Amino acid sequence: MKIKDTVHFQWYKSFFTVALIALCLGVSINATEANFKQLIGNIGQVQAFLNKLANPDFNYLPKLVTPMVKTLKMSAVGTALGVLLAIPFSFLATTVVTGNKIITNIFRFFLNIIRTVPNLLLAALLVAIIGIGEATGVVTIAIFTFGMVSQLLYEAIETIDLAPLEADEAVGANKLKIAVWAVWPQIMSAVASYTFYAFEINVRASTVLGYVGAGGIGVKLNEALGMFKYQRVSIIILFIFAVVVVVDTVSEAIRRRLK
C-alpha cells in the first residue's frame, strides 16, 4: 500500500511539474506576444540564409589568422587581469578571511553589481568611452572575468579546511599571514582551474564582443555580414568554431589534470 501511495505521489508530482511548466510557457508566450505561426512561416528564409553559407570562401582563410590571434591574445590578457583582480576581492568577500560580515557584505554587493552588467552592454559602453579596438575587448573581458572568478573563488574559500587557519590564529598570525599561508595553499588548484575555465569562456565571448567593435575576429564577421559576403561569413564561423573546439579541449584536459 505504501509503495502504491509513493507511486501515486510521484505521478502527481510529475503531473504538477509539467502543468506548472506549461502554465509558465503559456504566460510567457502571451506576455511576449510570440507568434509561432510567423516563425514557422519564415522557415524558408532560414533555409535560404543557410544556402548562402553553403560555399565558404577558403581563400579568405589566411586573412583571418591575424584577427584570430588578436582575439586569443585579447582573451588571454583579459582573463589574466581579471583573475589577478579577483583574487584579493574574493578574499575580502568571505568572513573566513575577514571575520567581519559588514566588510564581506560590502564587497559581495559590489561583486553582484559587476556580475549584473551583460557582456555586450559593457562592451558597447566601453567602445563609446575608450573607442573601437582590442584594448576595449581586454577591459571588457577583464571586468567580466573579475566578476565571475571572484564569486567562484570566495565560494571555494568558504569550503576550505579551517584547521590551518585556527592553528595560525593560535600562534598570533594576522589576517594577511593567515590568507597567504593558510588559505592560499588550499585554493591554488582552484585558481588555476577557474583561470582556464574563464579563458575557455572568454574565447567564445570575445568573438561576439568584436562584433560590437571590441576588436578581434568579430570585427571581420561584422564587416562580412554588413557587405553581404556570406561566403566569408561561412568561413569565419567555421574558423571560430574550430578554434573554440581546440581551446575547449585543451582547457578541459588541463583542468582535469589540476583536480
Side-chain angles (χ1 to χ4, degrees):
M1 189 67 180
K2 290 183 178 179
I3 296 176
K4 186 180 292 186
D5 291 341
T6 302
V7 172
H8 285 164
F9 174 75
Q10 291 294 336
W11 188 87
Y12 285 125
K13 184 178 178 182
S14 300
F15 176 78
F16 176 76
T17 302
V18 172
L20 182 61
I21 293 173
L23 177 62
C24 292
L25 180 62
V27 172
S28 300
I29 291 173
N30 185 58
T32 58
E33 299 181 355
N35 190 338
F36 286 97
K37 291 182 179 179
Q38 184 178 5
L39 176 63
I40 295 173
N42 290 333
I43 293 296
Q45 295 182 18
V46 175
Q47 184 177 359
F49 179 75
L50 293 177
N51 289 336
K52 293 178 182 178
L53 300 178
N55 299 308
D57 182 8
F58 288 97
N59 294 325
Y60 189 62
L61 186 59
K63 296 182 180 180
L64 300 177
V65 175
T66 299
M68 179 56 77
V69 170
K70 288 182 179 180
T71 296
L72 293 174
K73 288 181 178 179
M74 187 170 66
S75 302
V77 174
T79 301
L81 291 175
V83 171
L84 290 175
L85 189 60
I87 291 172
F89 272 81
S90 62
F91 277 76
L92 294 170
T94 173
T95 53
V96 172
V97 176
T98 64
N100 189 315
K101 289 186 178 181
I102 296 177
I103 294 176
T104 295
N105 289 333
I106 290 173
F107 277 93
R108 288 195 181 187
F109 178 73
F110 173 71
L111 294 175
N112 287 335
I113 294 175
I114 295 295
R115 285 194 299 273
T116 56
V117 183
N119 247 0
L120 286 176
L121 175 59
L122 181 61
L125 291 174
L126 290 175
V127 164
I129 297 170
I130 302 174
I132 296 175
E134 283 73 27
T136 303
V138 169
V139 175
T140 303
I141 291 172
I143 295 174
F144 170 74
T145 303
F146 164 66
M148 176 182 65
V149 174
S150 57
Q151 181 184 12
L152 294 173
L153 285 182
Y154 78 64
E155 289 178 352
I157 291 173
E158 291 183 338
T159 62
I160 64 174
D161 182 11
L162 299 179
L165 281 74
E166 295 171 354
D168 286 355
E169 287 180 353
V171 297
N174 58 30
K175 296 293 184 181
L176 180 59
K177 290 181 178 179
I178 291 173
V180 173
W181 299 110
V183 178
W184 175 250
Q186 297 189 62
I187 65 167
M188 284 178 61
S189 60
V191 171
S193 179
Y194 293 148
T195 299
F196 283 103
Y197 174 67
F199 177 68
E200 179 182 324
I201 293 175
N202 289 335
V203 170
R204 293 194 294 267
S206 61
T207 60
V208 181
L209 295 179
Y211 189 75
V212 295
I217 198 170
V219 175
K220 291 291 185 181
L221 179 60
N222 189 20
E223 290 176 356
L225 283 170
M227 293 186 293
F228 303 104
K229 295 184 177 181
Y230 294 107
Q231 291 83 4
R232 291 186 178 183
V233 172
S234 180
I235 192 62
I236 291 171
I237 292 174
L238 290 174
F239 189 41
I240 291 172
F241 176 76
V243 172
V244 168
V245 168
V246 172
V247 170
D248 286 359
T249 302
V250 174
S251 175
E252 185 178 357
I254 293 173
R255 285 189 285 114
R256 284 181 178 178
R257 287 179 175 271
L258 293 172
K259 291 182 178 179

